[in-house]
Amino acid sequence: MRNDLAPVAWSAGLACALATLTPAAAQPVAVHAAGNPILADGRYYSTDPAPVVVGDTLWILAGRDEAPADVNDFIMDEWQALSTRDPASGDWLHYPAIARPEAVFHWAEPGRAYAGQIVPGRDGKFYLYAPVLQAKSDAKDRFAIGVAVADSPAGPWTDAHPAGPIVSQTRPVANDIQNIDPTAIVDDDGRVYLYWGTFGQLRGIELAADMVTPKGPEVKVDSLDGFFEAPWLMKRKGVYYMLYAGNRAGPRSDCTPAVYHACIAYGTAPSPLGPWTYRGVILRPVSSTTSHAGAVEFKGQWWLAYHTADAAGGGHFRRSVAIDRMDWDDSVSPPAILPVTPTRHPAPPPAPTRNIAAMATPTASNAPVPVQYWIKALNDGLVRDAPLPPDLWGSWTPHNPASQWIEYRFDRPVTLNGARIRFWADQPAGAGVGVAPPKAWRMEYWDGGWKPVRAPKGFGTGVDGFQSATFAAVTARCVRAVFDASGAQGTHAGLAVQEWEVLAPTAQAPRAGSGSAPACDAQP
Ligand code: FUB
């Protein structure tokens, strides 16, 4: 992926210079995106997109992830923006730093510039609803929502309510939730509505025409199936829509198999404060654990902006904004949002490889795998510096057996003579608690029964890199890696594997399998 930067070449010095321009209006840099993500080269991560149409321009407000690759935390010090007159052209202007919490809100502390939204007011000004940490507060959770105002989405932004946040754990109604992820609309009649929430808590309230003063009773929404966070309120043809990140998880869930991941789902309501009815999933889980989306109609086409971990060096805390077309089914009532197909920038075909795991259907001795883990992590080709549970197959429970196995089933017999495995552990070798590397592991193949491979070599158990194994070639449709768990005297640790490669004798072009190869040991 190439990002052409014009009219000026990008440099770290330029980035610093632009950052110091705040609170003056930020200066843009032209970017050409060959596809998704928009900023894809890993120099500048962008997250939590909130699109807004201003005249003939589509703007996207985004946060900025700055976590190092091995840090699992939201390091987010500022907001940025992107704008285009045609999302399909790939031509964007990037406004690298348009606001920082402590620079806009005197009552906020630096950092945690989480998901905000810019909403055009009826007075011609723009209002930024921004979750920030209160610098001085006794609240258990100091996140609060401030509102800033500007003449342009690029800023400069000033506090529209210098008295403090409009939502916190003490206002407008005392709560004990994390007050983040605001979304607001100005309705056709000029009335203003604000929703916010995370960790399954969704609140809504009407605001006065000044865009900041809470008015009327607060509503608690509990009818949006699997609501986790990231609400996005919008209206089309008289119907109110709420998009959100859902995490109702399980092997048969239409949302997500692993609880740390999220789908984007939506519901509808006949009025801005509900009642809300769940309608379905519009975006499958993306490559980052969080999913956060916003939708908007621009020049007759609807677009869904969301984020992924797909940029160079990307990760769960190094996310990047993507945008794809969103279409409607107007033959039903209320009109339904059709599932969005995520697109990527063009990439060269993958190189031939001996690893044919991608063709296999994975399963494990502890199926259905607990929802914090993800069985498909075994052969997704991804190894992260600091994996989270859904980047792993895992087996931990409070009481772990002495042995576990993972299995690959192929659609047809394959020939293998090696394997590589990447273990993960939070306890040292020998531990009987937590997750530890196995005492030993071996490979088996199905030949009318499970048979050990011959001439096994390697089979290390370290966690510092891939552990290689070789064996005499076998041809089979099903193979297993069998683990002797760490521990002793009836107390065993759990096991976790980030990636399991199975190696053919020669490299071949990567191919996908059916994803539903049948069991070998269930056949007569
Ligand atoms: O970016 C920080 C948080 O991650 C957002 O507020 C959530 O919606 C999730 O995307």
mmCIF file of all heavy atoms in Angstrom, residues 404-446:
data_model
loop_
_atom_site.group_PDB
_atom_site.id
_atom_site.type_symbol
_atom_site.label_atom_id
_atom_site.label_comp_id
_atom_site.label_asym_id
_atom_site.label_seq_id
_atom_site.Cartn_x
_atom_site.Cartn_y
_atom_site.Cartn_z
ATOM 1 N N GLN A 404 -4.358 -32.197 26.490
ATOM 2 C CA GLN A 404 -5.296 -31.561 25.568
ATOM 3 C C GLN A 404 -4.775 -31.782 24.158
ATOM 4 O O GLN A 404 -3.593 -32.080 23.975
ATOM 5 C CB GLN A 404 -5.378 -30.036 25.795
ATOM 6 C CG GLN A 404 -5.896 -29.605 27.147
ATOM 7 C CD GLN A 404 -7.426 -29.508 27.195
ATOM 8 O OE1 GLN A 404 -8.116 -29.916 26.260
ATOM 9 N NE2 GLN A 404 -7.949 -28.989 28.292
ATOM 10 N N TRP A 405 -5.626 -31.621 23.159
ATOM 11 C CA TRP A 405 -5.143 -31.675 21.783
ATOM 12 C C TRP A 405 -5.843 -30.634 20.932
ATOM 13 O O TRP A 405 -6.940 -30.166 21.261
ATOM 14 C CB TRP A 405 -5.297 -33.068 21.152
ATOM 15 C CG TRP A 405 -6.652 -33.719 21.299
ATOM 16 C CD1 TRP A 405 -6.986 -34.694 22.189
ATOM 17 C CD2 TRP A 405 -7.850 -33.453 20.534
ATOM 18 N NE1 TRP A 405 -8.311 -35.042 22.049
ATOM 19 C CE2 TRP A 405 -8.863 -34.304 21.029
ATOM 20 C CE3 TRP A 405 -8.164 -32.595 19.499
ATOM 21 C CZ2 TRP A 405 -10.158 -34.310 20.509
ATOM 22 C CZ3 TRP A 405 -9.451 -32.591 18.974
ATOM 23 C CH2 TRP A 405 -10.425 -33.451 19.484
ATOM 24 N N ILE A 406 -5.148 -30.282 19.830
ATOM 25 C CA ILE A 406 -5.754 -29.460 18.785
ATOM 26 C C ILE A 406 -5.662 -30.250 17.490
ATOM 27 O O ILE A 406 -4.747 -31.071 17.322
ATOM 28 C CB ILE A 406 -5.065 -28.079 18.658
ATOM 29 C CG1 ILE A 406 -3.539 -28.213 18.518
ATOM 30 C CG2 ILE A 406 -5.404 -27.205 19.854
ATOM 31 C CD1 ILE A 406 -2.796 -26.886 18.395
ATOM 32 N N GLU A 407 -6.609 -30.044 16.604
ATOM 33 C CA GLU A 407 -6.689 -30.890 15.407
ATOM 34 C C GLU A 407 -6.951 -30.046 14.173
ATOM 35 O O GLU A 407 -7.709 -29.076 14.234
ATOM 36 C CB GLU A 407 -7.833 -31.908 15.584
ATOM 37 C CG GLU A 407 -8.024 -32.828 14.392
ATOM 38 C CD GLU A 407 -9.175 -33.821 14.605
ATOM 39 O OE1 GLU A 407 -9.537 -34.087 15.777
ATOM 40 O OE2 GLU A 407 -9.723 -34.296 13.597
ATOM 41 N N TYR A 408 -6.330 -30.437 13.069
ATOM 42 C CA TYR A 408 -6.663 -29.877 11.761
ATOM 43 C C TYR A 408 -7.324 -30.964 10.928
ATOM 44 O O TYR A 408 -6.769 -32.070 10.790
ATOM 45 C CB TYR A 408 -5.417 -29.384 11.024
ATOM 46 C CG TYR A 408 -4.904 -28.034 11.485
ATOM 47 C CD1 TYR A 408 -3.559 -27.704 11.323
ATOM 48 C CD2 TYR A 408 -5.748 -27.082 12.050
ATOM 49 C CE1 TYR A 408 -3.070 -26.468 11.714
ATOM 50 C CE2 TYR A 408 -5.262 -25.847 12.446
ATOM 51 C CZ TYR A 408 -3.930 -25.543 12.279
ATOM 52 O OH TYR A 408 -3.458 -24.327 12.669
ATOM 53 N N ARG A 409 -8.489 -30.628 10.366
ATOM 54 C CA ARG A 409 -9.173 -31.531 9.427
ATOM 55 C C ARG A 409 -9.112 -30.883 8.048
ATOM 56 O O ARG A 409 -9.469 -29.710 7.889
ATOM 57 C CB ARG A 409 -10.636 -31.696 9.828
ATOM 58 C CG ARG A 409 -10.798 -32.317 11.197
ATOM 59 C CD ARG A 409 -12.240 -32.226 11.642
ATOM 60 N NE ARG A 409 -12.381 -32.824 12.956
ATOM 61 C CZ ARG A 409 -13.454 -32.690 13.728
ATOM 62 N NH1 ARG A 409 -14.493 -31.979 13.299
ATOM 63 N NH2 ARG A 409 -13.516 -33.261 14.898
ATOM 64 N N PHE A 410 -8.687 -31.676 7.068
ATOM 65 C CA PHE A 410 -8.615 -31.181 5.687
ATOM 66 C C PHE A 410 -9.762 -31.779 4.881
ATOM 67 O O PHE A 410 -10.336 -32.812 5.249
ATOM 68 C CB PHE A 410 -7.264 -31.551 5.064
ATOM 69 C CG PHE A 410 -6.110 -30.808 5.704
ATOM 70 C CD1 PHE A 410 -5.491 -31.290 6.848
ATOM 71 C CD2 PHE A 410 -5.657 -29.607 5.164
ATOM 72 C CE1 PHE A 410 -4.447 -30.600 7.438
ATOM 73 C CE2 PHE A 410 -4.608 -28.908 5.753
ATOM 74 C CZ PHE A 410 -4.002 -29.404 6.896
ATOM 75 N N ASP A 411 -10.056 -31.123 3.754
ATOM 76 C CA ASP A 411 -11.142 -31.624 2.889
ATOM 77 C C ASP A 411 -10.732 -32.901 2.171
ATOM 78 O O ASP A 411 -11.564 -33.718 1.799
ATOM 79 C CB ASP A 411 -11.519 -30.558 1.858
ATOM 80 C CG ASP A 411 -12.075 -29.305 2.524
ATOM 81 O OD1 ASP A 411 -12.821 -29.465 3.501
ATOM 82 O OD2 ASP A 411 -11.738 -28.188 2.087
ATOM 83 N N ARG A 412 -9.415 -33.040 1.944
ATOM 84 C CA ARG A 412 -8.902 -34.253 1.298
ATOM 85 C C ARG A 412 -7.543 -34.560 1.897
ATOM 86 O O ARG A 412 -6.940 -33.670 2.541
ATOM 87 C CB ARG A 412 -8.836 -34.085 -0.215
ATOM 88 C CG ARG A 412 -7.971 -32.940 -0.676
ATOM 89 C CD ARG A 412 -8.066 -32.740 -2.166
ATOM 90 N NE ARG A 412 -9.402 -32.301 -2.545
ATOM 91 C CZ ARG A 412 -9.789 -31.024 -2.554
ATOM 92 N NH1 ARG A 412 -8.942 -30.073 -2.208
ATOM 93 N NH2 ARG A 412 -11.004 -30.690 -2.900
ATOM 94 N N PRO A 413 -7.024 -35.775 1.725
ATOM 95 C CA PRO A 413 -5.741 -36.122 2.346
ATOM 96 C C PRO A 413 -4.617 -35.185 1.897
ATOM 97 O O PRO A 413 -4.559 -34.778 0.729
ATOM 98 C CB PRO A 413 -5.502 -37.557 1.870
ATOM 99 C CG PRO A 413 -6.866 -38.090 1.585
ATOM 100 C CD PRO A 413 -7.650 -36.924 1.046
ATOM 101 N N VAL A 414 -3.739 -34.846 2.833
ATOM 102 C CA VAL A 414 -2.579 -34.001 2.547
ATOM 103 C C VAL A 414 -1.338 -34.727 3.049
ATOM 104 O O VAL A 414 -1.418 -35.589 3.935
ATOM 105 C CB VAL A 414 -2.687 -32.620 3.235
ATOM 106 C CG1 VAL A 414 -3.868 -31.830 2.704
ATOM 107 C CG2 VAL A 414 -2.787 -32.784 4.758
ATOM 108 N N THR A 415 -0.189 -34.395 2.474
ATOM 109 C CA THR A 415 1.061 -34.989 2.926
ATOM 110 C C THR A 415 1.854 -33.953 3.713
ATOM 111 O O THR A 415 2.033 -32.814 3.262
ATOM 112 C CB THR A 415 1.892 -35.489 1.718
ATOM 113 O OG1 THR A 415 1.106 -36.471 1.030
ATOM 114 C CG2 THR A 415 3.210 -36.108 2.164
ATOM 115 N N LEU A 416 2.278 -34.349 4.901
ATOM 116 C CA LEU A 416 2.991 -33.451 5.819
ATOM 117 C C LEU A 416 4.245 -34.131 6.332
ATOM 118 O O LEU A 416 4.259 -35.352 6.532
ATOM 119 C CB LEU A 416 2.114 -33.111 7.026
ATOM 120 C CG LEU A 416 0.749 -32.473 6.746
ATOM 121 C CD1 LEU A 416 -0.078 -32.409 8.018
ATOM 122 C CD2 LEU A 416 0.935 -31.074 6.163
ATOM 123 N N ASN A 417 5.299 -33.319 6.574
ATOM 124 C CA ASN A 417 6.480 -33.875 7.242
ATOM 125 C C ASN A 417 7.084 -32.896 8.247
ATOM 126 O O ASN A 417 8.253 -33.013 8.603
ATOM 127 C CB ASN A 417 7.537 -34.316 6.214
ATOM 128 C CG ASN A 417 8.116 -33.141 5.439
ATOM 129 O OD1 ASN A 417 7.625 -32.025 5.557
ATOM 130 N ND2 ASN A 417 9.141 -33.404 4.647
ATOM 131 N N GLY A 418 6.295 -31.944 8.691
ATOM 132 C CA GLY A 418 6.800 -31.013 9.693
ATOM 133 C C GLY A 418 5.688 -30.156 10.258
ATOM 134 O O GLY A 418 4.557 -30.149 9.752
ATOM 135 N N ALA A 419 6.015 -29.463 11.332
ATOM 136 C CA ALA A 419 5.054 -28.544 11.957
ATOM 137 C C ALA A 419 5.841 -27.473 12.707
ATOM 138 O O ALA A 419 7.021 -27.671 13.049
ATOM 139 C CB ALA A 419 4.134 -29.294 12.918
ATOM 140 N N ARG A 420 5.202 -26.352 12.924
ATOM 141 C CA ARG A 420 5.770 -25.293 13.765
ATOM 142 C C ARG A 420 4.644 -24.778 14.650
ATOM 143 O O ARG A 420 3.503 -24.634 14.204
ATOM 144 C CB ARG A 420 6.309 -24.131 12.927
ATOM 145 C CG ARG A 420 7.427 -24.545 12.015
ATOM 146 C CD ARG A 420 8.224 -23.378 11.433
ATOM 147 N NE ARG A 420 7.478 -22.159 11.242
ATOM 148 C CZ ARG A 420 7.990 -20.933 11.446
ATOM 149 N NH1 ARG A 420 9.239 -20.787 11.860
ATOM 150 N NH2 ARG A 420 7.268 -19.855 11.222
ATOM 151 N N ILE A 421 4.978 -24.516 15.905
ATOM 152 C CA ILE A 421 3.926 -24.089 16.824
ATOM 153 C C ILE A 421 4.436 -22.938 17.667
ATOM 154 O O ILE A 421 5.609 -22.879 18.022
ATOM 155 C CB ILE A 421 3.458 -25.290 17.698
ATOM 156 C CG1 ILE A 421 2.091 -25.021 18.297
ATOM 157 C CG2 ILE A 421 4.478 -25.651 18.751
ATOM 158 C CD1 ILE A 421 1.371 -26.300 18.726
ATOM 159 N N ARG A 422 3.539 -22.006 17.956
ATOM 160 C CA ARG A 422 3.908 -20.835 18.756
ATOM 161 C C ARG A 422 3.062 -20.870 20.028
ATOM 162 O O ARG A 422 1.865 -20.582 19.999
ATOM 163 C CB ARG A 422 3.637 -19.576 17.944
ATOM 164 C CG ARG A 422 4.074 -18.297 18.576
ATOM 165 C CD ARG A 422 5.562 -18.055 18.386
ATOM 166 N NE ARG A 422 5.965 -16.892 19.134
ATOM 167 C CZ ARG A 422 6.346 -15.749 18.589
ATOM 168 N NH1 ARG A 422 6.424 -15.642 17.284
ATOM 169 N NH2 ARG A 422 6.684 -14.729 19.348
ATOM 170 N N PHE A 423 3.693 -21.298 21.139
ATOM 171 C CA PHE A 423 2.966 -21.357 22.416
ATOM 172 C C PHE A 423 2.884 -19.975 23.048
ATOM 173 O O PHE A 423 3.707 -19.099 22.790
ATOM 174 C CB PHE A 423 3.689 -22.296 23.391
ATOM 175 C CG PHE A 423 3.680 -23.737 22.960
ATOM 176 C CD1 PHE A 423 4.851 -24.350 22.535
ATOM 177 C CD2 PHE A 423 2.507 -24.468 22.964
ATOM 178 C CE1 PHE A 423 4.851 -25.670 22.131
ATOM 179 C CE2 PHE A 423 2.496 -25.800 22.557
ATOM 180 C CZ PHE A 423 3.670 -26.396 22.137
ATOM 181 N N TRP A 424 1.897 -19.802 23.908
ATOM 182 C CA TRP A 424 1.792 -18.591 24.737
ATOM 183 C C TRP A 424 1.618 -19.034 26.179
ATOM 184 O O TRP A 424 0.980 -20.067 26.445
ATOM 185 C CB TRP A 424 0.591 -17.754 24.305
ATOM 186 C CG TRP A 424 0.458 -16.474 25.088
ATOM 187 C CD1 TRP A 424 1.026 -15.284 24.792
ATOM 188 C CD2 TRP A 424 -0.280 -16.288 26.306
ATOM 189 N NE1 TRP A 424 0.692 -14.351 25.745
ATOM 190 C CE2 TRP A 424 -0.105 -14.939 26.684
ATOM 191 C CE3 TRP A 424 -1.045 -17.111 27.121
ATOM 192 C CZ2 TRP A 424 -0.681 -14.397 27.837
ATOM 193 C CZ3 TRP A 424 -1.620 -16.572 28.261
ATOM 194 C CH2 TRP A 424 -1.438 -15.237 28.602
ATOM 195 N N ALA A 425 2.192 -18.307 27.110
ATOM 196 C CA ALA A 425 2.076 -18.679 28.523
ATOM 197 C C ALA A 425 2.148 -17.436 29.393
ATOM 198 O O ALA A 425 2.771 -16.441 29.025
ATOM 199 C CB ALA A 425 3.197 -19.629 28.895
ATOM 200 N N ASP A 426 1.484 -17.489 30.544
ATOM 201 C CA ASP A 426 1.681 -16.435 31.543
ATOM 202 C C ASP A 426 2.307 -17.001 32.810
ATOM 203 O O ASP A 426 2.424 -16.312 33.819
ATOM 204 C CB ASP A 426 0.372 -15.703 31.853
ATOM 205 C CG ASP A 426 -0.725 -16.606 32.397
ATOM 206 O OD1 ASP A 426 -0.439 -17.773 32.760
ATOM 207 O OD2 ASP A 426 -1.888 -16.147 32.454
ATOM 208 N N GLN A 427 2.676 -18.305 32.765
ATOM 209 C CA GLN A 427 3.350 -18.971 33.888
ATOM 210 C C GLN A 427 4.564 -19.705 33.333
ATOM 211 O O GLN A 427 4.580 -20.094 32.164
ATOM 212 C CB GLN A 427 2.409 -19.981 34.566
ATOM 213 C CG GLN A 427 1.158 -19.361 35.151
ATOM 214 C CD GLN A 427 1.459 -18.405 36.293
ATOM 215 O OE1 GLN A 427 2.312 -18.684 37.135
ATOM 216 N NE2 GLN A 427 0.790 -17.264 36.297
ATOM 217 N N PRO A 428 5.596 -19.932 34.179
ATOM 218 C CA PRO A 428 6.796 -20.617 33.683
ATOM 219 C C PRO A 428 6.560 -22.110 33.469
ATOM 220 O O PRO A 428 5.584 -22.679 33.984
ATOM 221 C CB PRO A 428 7.821 -20.390 34.802
ATOM 222 C CG PRO A 428 7.000 -20.138 36.019
ATOM 223 C CD PRO A 428 5.706 -19.509 35.571
ATOM 224 N N ALA A 429 7.480 -22.733 32.723
ATOM 225 C CA ALA A 429 7.422 -24.187 32.510
ATOM 226 C C ALA A 429 7.377 -24.891 33.863
ATOM 227 O O ALA A 429 8.071 -24.499 34.802
ATOM 228 C CB ALA A 429 8.653 -24.631 31.728
ATOM 229 N N GLY A 430 6.542 -25.899 33.990
ATOM 230 C CA GLY A 430 6.434 -26.658 35.232
ATOM 231 C C GLY A 430 5.285 -26.206 36.106
ATOM 232 O O GLY A 430 4.858 -26.932 37.011
ATOM 233 N N ALA A 431 4.755 -24.995 35.879
ATOM 234 C CA ALA A 431 3.679 -24.475 36.736
ATOM 235 C C ALA A 431 2.431 -25.351 36.619
ATOM 236 O O ALA A 431 2.160 -25.940 35.573
ATOM 237 C CB ALA A 431 3.332 -23.041 36.324
ATOM 238 N N GLY A 432 1.679 -25.406 37.720
ATOM 239 C CA GLY A 432 0.430 -26.176 37.719
ATOM 240 C C GLY A 432 -0.783 -25.272 37.721
ATOM 241 O O GLY A 432 -1.909 -25.745 37.898
ATOM 242 N N VAL A 433 -0.554 -23.976 37.551
ATOM 243 C CA VAL A 433 -1.659 -23.004 37.533
ATOM 244 C C VAL A 433 -1.511 -22.117 36.311
ATOM 245 O O VAL A 433 -0.473 -22.119 35.653
ATOM 246 C CB VAL A 433 -1.667 -22.127 38.802
ATOM 247 C CG1 VAL A 433 -1.957 -22.949 40.031
ATOM 248 C CG2 VAL A 433 -0.338 -21.376 38.924
ATOM 249 N N GLY A 434 -2.524 -21.330 36.045
ATOM 250 C CA GLY A 434 -2.462 -20.379 34.938
ATOM 251 C C GLY A 434 -2.297 -21.088 33.610
ATOM 252 O O GLY A 434 -2.794 -22.194 33.391
ATOM 253 N N VAL A 435 -1.589 -20.420 32.701
ATOM 254 C CA VAL A 435 -1.299 -20.995 31.382
ATOM 255 C C VAL A 435 0.212 -21.142 31.279
ATOM 256 O O VAL A 435 0.950 -20.163 31.428
ATOM 257 C CB VAL A 435 -1.843 -20.088 30.258
ATOM 258 C CG1 VAL A 435 -1.433 -20.627 28.889
ATOM 259 C CG2 VAL A 435 -3.364 -19.975 30.349
ATOM 260 N N ALA A 436 0.674 -22.354 31.061
ATOM 261 C CA ALA A 436 2.123 -22.641 31.015
ATOM 262 C C ALA A 436 2.431 -23.409 29.741
ATOM 263 O O ALA A 436 1.553 -24.053 29.164
ATOM 264 C CB ALA A 436 2.529 -23.453 32.238
ATOM 265 N N PRO A 437 3.707 -23.357 29.290
ATOM 266 C CA PRO A 437 4.051 -24.185 28.135
ATOM 267 C C PRO A 437 3.868 -25.658 28.481
ATOM 268 O O PRO A 437 3.978 -26.044 29.659
ATOM 269 C CB PRO A 437 5.533 -23.872 27.883
ATOM 270 C CG PRO A 437 5.992 -23.004 28.985
ATOM 271 C CD PRO A 437 4.832 -22.620 29.841
ATOM 272 N N PRO A 438 3.591 -26.524 27.501
ATOM 273 C CA PRO A 438 3.367 -27.939 27.833
ATOM 274 C C PRO A 438 4.671 -28.599 28.281
ATOM 275 O O PRO A 438 5.756 -28.136 27.943
ATOM 276 C CB PRO A 438 2.889 -28.527 26.504
ATOM 277 C CG PRO A 438 3.490 -27.656 25.462
ATOM 278 C CD PRO A 438 3.516 -26.271 26.053
ATOM 279 N N LYS A 439 4.500 -29.720 29.020
ATOM 280 C CA LYS A 439 5.661 -30.531 29.415
ATOM 281 C C LYS A 439 6.267 -31.131 28.147
ATOM 282 O O LYS A 439 7.476 -31.192 27.993
ATOM 283 C CB LYS A 439 5.155 -31.645 30.335
ATOM 284 C CG LYS A 439 6.163 -32.162 31.331
ATOM 285 C CD LYS A 439 5.574 -33.297 32.151
ATOM 286 C CE LYS A 439 4.467 -32.805 33.069
ATOM 287 N NZ LYS A 439 3.785 -33.884 33.790
ATOM 288 N N ALA A 440 5.406 -31.538 27.237
ATOM 289 C CA ALA A 440 5.855 -32.150 25.980
ATOM 290 C C ALA A 440 4.701 -32.092 24.993
ATOM 291 O O ALA A 440 3.541 -31.910 25.388
ATOM 292 C CB ALA A 440 6.246 -33.613 26.221
ATOM 293 N N TRP A 441 5.002 -32.233 23.705
ATOM 294 C CA TRP A 441 3.931 -32.338 22.704
ATOM 295 C C TRP A 441 4.362 -33.281 21.594
ATOM 296 O O TRP A 441 5.571 -33.571 21.434
ATOM 297 C CB TRP A 441 3.508 -30.980 22.173
ATOM 298 C CG TRP A 441 4.495 -30.219 21.331
ATOM 299 C CD1 TRP A 441 5.611 -29.582 21.762
ATOM 300 C CD2 TRP A 441 4.424 -30.001 19.915
ATOM 301 N NE1 TRP A 441 6.253 -28.975 20.718
ATOM 302 C CE2 TRP A 441 5.542 -29.205 19.564
ATOM 303 C CE3 TRP A 441 3.537 -30.374 18.908
ATOM 304 C CZ2 TRP A 441 5.798 -28.790 18.256
ATOM 305 C CZ3 TRP A 441 3.780 -29.955 17.608
ATOM 306 C CH2 TRP A 441 4.903 -29.179 17.291
ATOM 307 N N ARG A 442 3.416 -33.810 20.872
ATOM 308 C CA ARG A 442 3.697 -34.755 19.788
ATOM 309 C C ARG A 442 2.643 -34.591 18.701
ATOM 310 O O ARG A 442 1.607 -33.970 18.937
ATOM 311 C CB ARG A 442 3.732 -36.189 20.317
ATOM 312 C CG ARG A 442 2.457 -36.630 20.992
ATOM 313 C CD ARG A 442 2.660 -37.944 21.762
ATOM 314 N NE ARG A 442 1.463 -38.262 22.532
ATOM 315 C CZ ARG A 442 1.198 -37.762 23.737
ATOM 316 N NH1 ARG A 442 2.021 -36.913 24.333
ATOM 317 N NH2 ARG A 442 0.074 -38.098 24.375
ATOM 318 N N MET A 443 2.926 -35.167 17.542
ATOM 319 C CA MET A 443 1.974 -35.103 16.423
ATOM 320 C C MET A 443 1.407 -36.495 16.176
ATOM 321 O O MET A 443 2.131 -37.496 16.258
ATOM 322 C CB MET A 443 2.665 -34.610 15.143
ATOM 323 C CG MET A 443 3.045 -33.146 15.154
ATOM 324 S SD MET A 443 1.678 -32.019 14.775
ATOM 325 C CE MET A 443 1.240 -32.503 13.128
ATOM 326 N N GLU A 444 0.137 -36.550 15.852
ATOM 327 C CA GLU A 444 -0.541 -37.801 15.482
ATOM 328 C C GLU A 444 -1.308 -37.577 14.182
ATOM 329 O O GLU A 444 -1.663 -36.441 13.864
ATOM 330 C CB GLU A 444 -1.512 -38.215 16.587
ATOM 331 C CG GLU A 444 -0.834 -38.566 17.894
ATOM 332 C CD GLU A 444 -1.824 -38.978 18.991
ATOM 333 O OE1 GLU A 444 -3.062 -38.805 18.784
ATOM 334 O OE2 GLU A 444 -1.363 -39.449 20.031
ATOM 335 N N TYR A 445 -1.565 -38.665 13.478
ATOM 336 C CA TYR A 445 -2.360 -38.562 12.253
ATOM 337 C C TYR A 445 -3.393 -39.677 12.258
ATOM 338 O O TYR A 445 -3.239 -40.707 12.941
ATOM 339 C CB TYR A 445 -1.475 -38.631 10.998
ATOM 340 C CG TYR A 445 -0.757 -39.945 10.822
ATOM 341 C CD1 TYR A 445 -1.191 -40.893 9.881
ATOM 342 C CD2 TYR A 445 0.356 -40.262 11.597
ATOM 343 C CE1 TYR A 445 -0.550 -42.094 9.722
ATOM 344 C CE2 TYR A 445 1.018 -41.477 11.439
ATOM 345 C CZ TYR A 445 0.562 -42.385 10.507
ATOM 346 O OH TYR A 445 1.200 -43.584 10.363
ATOM 347 N N TRP A 446 -4.455 -39.478 11.506
ATOM 348 C CA TRP A 446 -5.554 -40.469 11.495
ATOM 349 C C TRP A 446 -5.321 -41.482 10.390
ATOM 350 O O TRP A 446 -5.173 -41.137 9.217
ATOM 351 C CB TRP A 446 -6.895 -39.773 11.278
ATOM 352 C CG TRP A 446 -8.046 -40.752 11.264
ATOM 353 C CD1 TRP A 446 -8.650 -41.292 10.174
ATOM 354 C CD2 TRP A 446 -8.684 -41.321 12.405
ATOM 355 N NE1 TRP A 446 -9.635 -42.155 10.541
ATOM 356 C CE2 TRP A 446 -9.680 -42.201 11.924
ATOM 357 C CE3 TRP A 446 -8.526 -41.179 13.783
ATOM 358 C CZ2 TRP A 446 -10.507 -42.919 12.763
ATOM 359 C CZ3 TRP A 446 -9.357 -41.906 14.613
ATOM 360 C CH2 TRP A 446 -10.336 -42.759 14.110
#
